[in-house]
Amino acid sequence: MPELPEVETIRRSLLPVLTGRVIDEVQVLTPGVLLESAGLTLQGREMLTIRRRGKYLLIPLGSPDALTAGRKPDNRAASAQLIIHLRMTGQLLLQPDDLPAEKHTHIRIKLAAGRESSPIWLIYHDTRRFGRLWLLPDPTGDLPAGLVSLGPEPLDPDFNAALLAERLAGRRRSNLKAALLDQSVIAGLGNIYADEALYAGGLCPTRPAGSLSGEEIARLTEAIRAVLINAIACAGTSLRDYVDGWNKQGRFQNCLQVYGRAGLACRQCGQIIKSIRLAGRTTCWCPSCQPEKAGSSPQP
DNA sequence: ACCTACCTGTTT
DNA sequence: AAACAGGTAGGT
């Protein structure tokens, strides 16, 4: 389900609610979804904040019962971390009421009342059960492999054309679509935003990643950033399962230019959007706005 | 650089 | 009945 804009939207929806809250109760309804390091438990730990890296969410946690033990300043240092990857259909949902668990609810975390807040449940729901949560000591050498090998954050201020060029050089023989989907090349793009960024950059997804001119790399760099920023501003793309922490849908599905539009007219030029399979994923592009050979009529 | 597996639900 | 779906890990 969620790519960078969706994960970031979820993070923003959860941040003000989770920050500073202490875990009161944990219900693991489906064993195997939560991978716990030996000896660690969630109970009694404070959620210090919530961060994002690529499509991962990271919640640094304080020591168990730091509050009741009488918190010294250094008790607020993270001693564990909850890491979450939602894969295709994972959802993190806030529920003020103690509703009965639904069929595909796998974990329920009850957060104790704060000074000005009532208790609330944080629910992990995942129809296809591909997603995972990890409870790890912090610092740890045991981070998920996919998180360790993650490429640069496209929305970081130091992400630029030179960095993207360097990353694409490692996959110069594969097509652009496959390169952008590779999380070690660049973090956070999935099937929707890879297609949308290539359209915005006027680049054909079948082009070899090593064939881009400096000008084309610069265009792609800006296209990636612009598409992600717009999608976050629209709170993500809700096609099937994606919702934020308050169960609210995004609106970027109304702004898609190529993804899911095979057979329809390009909004820019009227040409019929094509689709093929690349890197095992359906890939949509406009043959006129994204010419295979440089020189025709790329997007401004 | 491909393929298959992991799952369930929806659409053709 | 079969194909397909916002993803990635693992094997060839």
Side-chain angles (χ1 to χ4, degrees):
Chain A
M1 155 178 67
E3 307 179 30
L4 188 154
E6 289 75 35
V7 177
E8 177 62 18
T9 303
I10 291 167
R11 188 191 74 82
R12 292 181 187 187
S13 71
L14 298 180
L15 178 66
V17 179
L18 300 190
T19 304
R21 303 285 288 255
V22 175
I23 297 168
D24 199 38
E25 184 184 339
V26 180
Q27 299 174 357
V28 178
L29 305 166
T30 311
V33 171
L34 172 63
L35 309 172
E36 293 174 285
S37 281
L40 286 189
T41 47
L42 285 164
Q43 265 282 352
R45 295 181 187 273
E46 177 183 352
M47 294 186 166
L48 302 177
T49 187
I50 177 167
R51 294 194 265 264
R52 182 190 56 75
R53 176 80 173 93
K55 302 174 194 172
Y56 289 84
L57 288 168
L58 302 100
I59 304 178
L61 302 166
S63 302
D65 302 311
L67 282 180
T68 50
R71 186 163 65 196
K72 286 172 266 169
D74 60 354
N75 276 351
R76 300 215 53 180
S79 71
Q81 193 162 32
L82 184 61
I83 299 174
I84 302 154
H85 197 302
L86 303 167
R87 293 283 179 93
M88 291 287 263
T89 56
Q91 299 174 328
L92 284 169
L93 298 167
L94 294 162
Q95 285 183 184
D97 302 309
D98 188 358
L99 305 172
E102 291 169 44
K103 183 175 176 186
H104 296 297
T105 292
H106 306 301
I107 298 170
R108 305 209 311 154
I109 296 173
K110 187 184 185 183
L111 301 168
R115 280 174 193 279
E116 298 173 24
S117 50
S118 308
I120 193 164
W121 291 84
L122 178 65
I123 301 300
Y124 181 64
H125 184 278
D126 188 352
T127 305
R128 292 175 73 179
R129 225 182 305 142
F130 289 168
R132 286 293 176 270
L133 289 76
W134 296 263
L135 174 59
L136 302 173
D138 187 54
T140 182
D142 266 354
L143 295 173
L147 178 54
V148 172
S149 62
L150 223 45
E153 281 293 322
L155 297 184
D156 268 8
D158 55 355
F159 178 74
N160 57 32
L163 184 50
L164 182 58
E166 184 188 304
R167 286 284 148 171
L168 289 176
R171 299 212 41 169
R172 70 189 72 120
R173 316 210 43 175
S174 62
N175 60 62
L176 270 179
K177 176 65 181 286
L180 292 187
L181 287 176
D182 182 342
Q183 301 299 295
S184 72
V185 169
I186 178 171
L189 296 180
N191 208 27
I192 296 177
Y193 299 108
D195 279 9
E196 293 296 314
L198 287 169
Y199 174 81
L203 295 164
C204 182
T206 59
R207 293 266 308 271
S211 72
L212 303 206
S213 68
E215 191 266 329
E216 287 173 323
I217 301 242
R219 237 164 52 207
L220 180 56
T221 305
E222 267 325 295
I224 290 168
R225 241 199 307 253
V227 164
L228 294 177
I229 285 170
N230 285 338
I232 292 170
C234 291
T237 303
S238 291
L239 296 172
R240 276 169 288 272
D241 304 277
Y242 163 70
V243 286
D244 75 3
W246 294 113
N247 205 23
K248 289 208 322 212
Q249 303 205 321
R251 302 174 303 279
F252 198 72
Q253 59 275 17
N254 306 313
C255 304
L256 296 173
Q257 303 299 305
V258 285
Y259 179 87
R261 301 195 71 245
L264 302 177
C266 174
R267 301 189 198 277
Q268 191 74 34
C269 75
Q271 278 280 313
I272 301 303
I273 303 297
K274 284 195 182 181
S275 92
I276 45 161
R277 210 146 175 98
L278 286 179
R281 320 296 301 279
T282 299
T283 299
C284 302
W285 85 104
C286 171
S288 145
C289 297
Q290 300 167 265
E292 188 135 16
K293 289 183 182 179
S296 303
S297 53
Q299 288 282 105

